[in-house]
Amino acid sequence: MKNNKVVIYIGILAIGLLLGWLLFGGSSNEEIDHNHDAVAATNQMWTCSMHPQIMQPEPGDCPICGMDLIPAESGSDGLMADQFKLTENAMALANIQTTVVGKGNVEGNTIKLSGKIAENEEANAVQVSYFAGRIERLNVSFTGEEVRKGQLLATIYSPELYAAQQELITAASLKESQPALYKAVRNKLKLWKLSENQINQIEETGKVKENFPVYATVSGTVTEKLVEQGDYIKQGQPLLKIANLNTVWGNFDVYENQIDRFKKGQEVMITTNAYPNKKFKGKVDFIDPVLNTKTRTVTLRVVLNNKDYVFKPGMFVTAEIESTKTNSNEVIMIPSSAVLWTGERSVVYLKTNPNEPVFELKEVALGNKIGDNYEVLDGLFTGNEIVTNGTFTVDAAAQLQGKKSMMNKQGGKTMTGHEGHLGMDNNSKNESDHTNMNERLKVSEKFQEQLKGIYNDYINLKDALVKEDSKGSSQNATSLLSNLSKTDMKLLKDEAHNHWMSLIDEIKSSTTSIAGSQDIKTQRNHFKHLSSHLIKAVQIFGVNEKVYVEFCPMADNNNGAYWLSKEEQILNPYFGDAMLKCGEVKQTIE
């Protein structure tokens, strides 16, 4: 009996242990799994899509713009510190294209130069008066008038010449007794450029002429009238400038890193917009031995035959010249569209992984520009893959992800331009960040039309600066301000609204400064800032047409500056005629 009880107790204990394991063993594993999830959740960081410098350990609102925070990307996906990755969608939308770097992969060895037609100074003449007096009649009516050698230009009344004629008549009666006096009086009249026939006529008739003619000493075109009829003039005073336009000069700017590629006597092919289907031959006649320290260029001169008067002084022309140096297979060439300039540095973006959109900033040293390509002296090797289209978008992604970028040499999170004045002043803003997102925001067509009106006023303003028309620049800036005030903020929602609000004050401030100034230098300084913010607006919202982002590395005291254009042709608003063709297209916004 006692043994039976022991067996029963052992059985009950065994059943109890089995039930305990079934009831509590599984929940222990679940608790462990749950704790793993809790740890993972604890490690999750949250950021703002508009302000990626915000990092918080829990979800909530962005302290800058109030938007909902989103989960930040965890881990570095095995990337190096300076590398970053783009999404395939962003690559497609921005039309980002890459090219594998090779040696000697540029066709030909032709260098293009921009220049302007000028008068041939060797064939110019200044018509002067050889005696003082009053211009009784001026026979040249306007500049541009053709004159021939020996043509009557003006008649002048000269009291001194009147007295000298009387002296000649008196000396003529004494030439037998005082031949030296007679000869001296005749020579005096010859110094005033009177001909032998004129002197003989005065002597023979014994009559004094009140008005004396001035004849053209050369044939050519009157390029400047320096006097008017009725003016009193001094002896030797210039009357007219006359240019012989049978030959003209083509003056071209050559950058200092290109100087060694040219020599006197090289053949040049000239083209002009006036005759786009014609090419004109010329030869390098002169290379200025002195460098212009402001533009960092020297002048290369070509003498052109102009008997048909095809070339007009002031006309813009383009020259194609074969370089005196041939491209070696050891020279690495890259497209100019791959290069971003900061004024002091030139950089490209390297695609470090051939199978994934992973990029890294690379600083390069450039040599001569040949056609649409640059020589690379240092920084790249054959086989490197670089971004050649959509470079701005890649640079913007680098800035957003806190990597090294064009204007952020050290890396780290930078201000994106959407923070308004929070924690920064106007001088510390990054003016070269021309886009702050990888994808365009979708907004209503009505808002795009309103932005297009602002953009058109901007283009008119840019064209006025090209022409150095400060009054026109002020008027177009005023029109831009008017259209800016008419934009309907209700058409924008959420993220689009925040973007526009961060830009509108900056656009208004720069435009107001331009409208209130008549100084072209001041206007161009503010135009740089206006361009920076309007480029962002056009990239983010679009204006339903093709827009070119253009860049001149020499603007703003060699710091470089951007602008928008409707045409691919470079017409520089920061220099005007001084360096009209300085710059290149850096991005095309569709």
Side-chain angles (χ1 to χ4, degrees), residues 539-570:
Q539 287 176 323
I540 293 170
F541 303 111
V543 290
N544 289 324
E545 68 175 73
K546 184 179 286 188
V547 179
Y548 296 96
V549 179
E550 297 174 344
F551 176 75
C552 173
M554 300 178 70
D556 189 28
N557 294 321
N558 290 324
N559 290 316
Y562 298 82
W563 70 93
L564 291 171
S565 176
K566 291 191 174 187
E567 300 87 22
E568 196 169 359
Q569 179 187 16
I570 299 295

Side-chain angles (χ1 to χ4, degrees), residues 459-530:
I459 293 297
N460 293 333
L461 168 58
K462 183 263 297 182
D463 291 341
L465 291 175
V466 169
K467 299 174 183 176
E468 300 188 357
D469 178 8
S470 60
K471 184 177 180 181
S473 301
S474 178
Q475 291 172 347
N476 288 309
T478 301
S479 177
L480 193 157
L481 285 171
S482 176
N483 278 329
L484 190 65
S485 65
K486 295 176 183 176
T487 52
D488 187 356
M489 300 298 294
K490 295 180 181 179
L491 297 172
L492 300 174
K493 305 294 183 183
D494 301 326
E495 188 176 359
H497 177 85
N498 292 334
H499 272 286
W500 181 243
M501 286 301 293
S502 68
L503 292 171
I504 190 169
D505 287 342
E506 301 291 350
I507 293 173
K508 184 177 180 180
S509 175
S510 299
T511 309
T512 301
S513 298
I514 296 172
S517 175
Q518 293 293 320
D519 177 61
I520 195 76
K521 186 176 181 180
T522 301
Q523 290 176 337
R524 283 170 170 164
N525 183 50
H526 290 292
F527 180 75
K528 173 196 171 186
H529 302 289
L530 169 62

Side-chain angles (χ1 to χ4, degrees), residues 364-385:
V364 294
L366 299 180
N368 295 292
K369 184 177 182 182
I370 303 177
D372 293 327
N373 297 272
Y374 280 105
E375 293 178 348
V376 179
L377 305 179
D378 187 35
L380 291 178
F381 300 96
T382 302
N384 286 156
E385 189 173 356

Side-chain angles (χ1 to χ4, degrees), residues 7-46:
V7 171
I8 292 172
Y9 290 150
I10 292 173
I12 292 172
L13 179 61
I15 292 172
L17 291 172
L18 177 62
L19 289 174
W21 180 84
L22 290 174
L23 290 173
F24 300 105
S27 63
S28 175
N29 289 337
E30 289 177 2
E31 185 66 31
I32 293 171
D33 291 342
H34 176 71
N35 288 340
H36 276 298
D37 293 340
V39 171
T42 301
N43 291 333
Q44 175 66 61
M45 298 297 289
W46 298 77

